[in-house]
Amino acid sequence: MNSLRALGLRFDMPRQPVRKESDSADLTTRAGREGGSLGADALHVMAPKSFWTPLNGPVPGRLIEGTLPDDHYARFILRLPKKWNGRLVVAAASGITDERTYDLYFSDYFLTRGYAFAATDKGVRRTVLDGDTVLMPMVPESGVRRWYSRLEALARFSVEAASAFYGRKPERTYAVGLSNGGHLARKAAESGSGLFDAALEVSGVLWTGERNLLRQLPAALRATEGKSADPAALARAGFPNGDGRWSPVLALYRQVYWRAVLHLFIQDLDPAYDGAVEDYDLDARPASVREAIAEFGHTGDLKIPLVSVAGGRDYLISCREHALAYRDLVAARGRENLHRLVVVDDASHIDANRETFDFIPPLMPRAHEEFERLAAR
């Protein structure tokens, strides 16, 4: 079975509502670190151990996990520390990862500072059949158009649960996220729902009719066909030059991510397409595909403060076509006073790249710094 085509298989995975609540002697990843049992998704997005949040002691509290109310497709985890600073952080996982993806990236950091922290898998579920083949059930319940509603559902549930546990509502609630979780943090900042007071996104994916992965990645694949990349064509696709030390980084993203990401979103948004992903032409496809993107896409019309942290050498979502383009979208709406963009020049999409390429700085430390600035407003 082709590992990429497996992303597009369509079948249902029956699930039942689940809810488990318990007191925990330590809500952090201390036990997982000591026992070597940290989740694969948490490690997948994380920088080397030297960048992990120091854990100077246990953080006891209440652990609630299971499926969202009235939505058994979406899983979540909520951690409520006993020593609470009165604030709540809510996140949606990146890509096709699970609700524990941010255990190292965000959860430990927030818990050790007194924040309650919640995360959802967005209703996306996948199974690794062997070392290379990923089975990704494609059903309407797991589609990208459902993702943002689940972040809001998690925020509502978490506020209620925190209020019951602490005897008072959170003073402030923040949305955070990485990659397509960052896309949802942007949506939270644009929503005007009143659920969030501010948001922070890292490597956030931009979705508009003109700028999106279904346009950028096919062009990038064509620009890198054969033994060497076409620098001019790669630049037209929005990506920085891949020469010198960046050549293996570019090759890694092309080999591991580009086709897989395209299969995921084409199968979700345009399941009738059966051609090669590098030949995909969004403008030649039915108008319904572009209309679907408009349903969940960005507007730039911020309602609350948003901080964006991006890598200048992001070879999955280019800085030019995503971070800088979103900055311009916000400015076009006259909302630039609510937006702060931080670009880390040599950073890429995920911090785990630092394990292989020691010249790539991780984004997480800067994201934490920027959150502190945001929270101090």
Side-chain angles (χ1 to χ4, degrees):
M1 182 184 294
N2 183 287
S3 62
L4 298 177
R5 274 299 176 189
L7 284 164
L9 291 180
R10 290 178 170 270
F11 71 97
D12 199 1
M13 293 180 67
R15 304 181 183 91
Q16 297 298 322
V18 175
R19 182 72 50 77
K20 183 171 65 175
E21 186 168 341
S22 61
D23 290 327
S24 173
D26 189 2
L27 296 169
T28 73
T29 62
R30 178 187 300 276
R33 296 187 192 191
E34 294 175 351
S37 57
L38 294 167
D41 288 342
L43 293 169
H44 176 71
V45 301
M46 195 58 187
K49 289 183 179 180
S50 60
F51 293 95
W52 295 8
T53 298
L55 300 176
N56 299 319
V59 179
R62 180 67 56 83
L63 176 66
I64 306 175
E65 55 188 326
T67 55
L68 288 172
D70 305 316
D71 185 358
H72 65 271
Y73 275 84
R75 291 191 59 83
F76 78 92
I77 188 164
L78 170 61
R79 297 177 171 107
L80 301 168
K82 287 184 178 179
K83 292 183 178 180
W84 187 42
N85 68 4
R87 300 187 177 196
L88 167 69
V89 179
V90 181
S94 61
I96 59 172
T97 59
D98 65 22
E99 67 275 16
R100 293 181 178 270
T101 297
Y102 300 135
D103 282 7
L104 291 165
Y105 201 100
F106 281 129
S107 184
D108 281 348
Y109 178 79
F110 288 123
L111 290 172
T112 55
R113 286 155 178 80
Y115 290 88
F117 181 76
T120 175
D121 68 354
K122 311 185 302 294
V124 176
R125 215 63 61 82
R126 89 276 188 258
T127 300
V128 179
L129 299 183
D130 54 43
D132 300 310
T133 304
V134 176
L135 179 65
M136 179 69 199
M138 299 301 296
V139 293
E141 290 82 0
S142 68
V144 62
R145 282 162 281 187
R146 295 287 304 273
W147 290 357
Y148 180 66
S149 66
R150 285 165 171 155
L151 181 65
E152 288 201 343
L154 177 62
R156 286 190 292 268
F157 173 82
S158 299
V159 167
E160 293 175 2
S163 301
F165 183 64
Y166 296 116
R168 58 189 175 98
K169 292 183 63 175
E171 299 164 4
R172 296 179 70 81
T173 300
Y174 304 91
V176 302
L178 167 68
S179 191
N180 265 302
H183 149 61
L184 299 178
R186 285 179 183 164
K187 291 289 291 181
E190 295 176 349
S191 72
S193 65
L195 289 169
F196 305 99
D197 296 288
L200 176 140
E201 55 97 350
V202 184
S203 301
V205 180
L206 178 61
W207 287 98
T208 70
E210 291 304 313
R211 283 189 163 93
N212 58 68
L213 293 168
L214 299 191
R215 292 188 185 279
Q216 186 181 25
L217 291 183
L221 282 168
R222 294 192 298 271
T224 52
E225 289 177 337
K227 294 183 178 180
S228 60
D230 179 342
L234 194 63
R236 287 194 296 272
F239 287 102
N241 193 294
D243 289 346
R245 66 180 183 175
W246 296 104
S247 178
V249 183
L250 173 62
L252 170 69
Y253 275 90
R254 188 188 198 280
Q255 179 181 0
V256 175
Y257 293 104
W258 291 0
R259 289 180 182 276
V261 168
L262 278 172
H263 276 289
L264 173 65
F265 287 106
I266 290 173
Q267 289 291 336
D268 184 2
L269 300 170
D270 192 2
Y273 181 76
D274 61 359
V277 292
E278 59 266 32
D279 296 330
Y280 190 80
D281 181 355
L282 181 59
D283 290 322
R285 301 302 299 158
S288 59
V289 183
R290 296 180 292 280
E291 291 167 359
I293 293 174
E295 286 181 33
F296 64 87
H298 296 111
T299 66
D301 189 13
L302 296 178
K303 304 298 193 302
I304 58 174
L306 170 70
V307 175
S308 301
V309 180
R313 286 282 182 166
D314 192 324
Y315 284 104
L316 179 56
I317 57 164
S318 74
C319 186
R320 188 190 81 185
E321 294 296 298
H322 292 263
L324 297 180
Y326 186 70
R327 177 202 62 189
D328 295 344
L329 188 63
V330 170
R333 288 282 190 159
R335 297 293 189 175
E336 58 264 50
N337 63 311
L338 290 173
H339 188 224
R340 173 176 166 80
L341 171 62
V342 177
V343 176
V344 180
D345 289 340
D346 283 347
S348 195
H349 191 70
I350 57 171
D351 287 359
N353 295 147
R354 177 60 180 249
E355 290 277 9
T356 306
F357 307 102
D358 62 7
F359 54 86
I360 296 181
L363 290 169
M364 186 195 73
R366 189 59 184 271
H368 291 176
E369 291 176 13
E370 292 301 325
F371 184 86
E372 291 296 335
R373 183 196 298 259
L374 181 67
R377 290 188 180 187

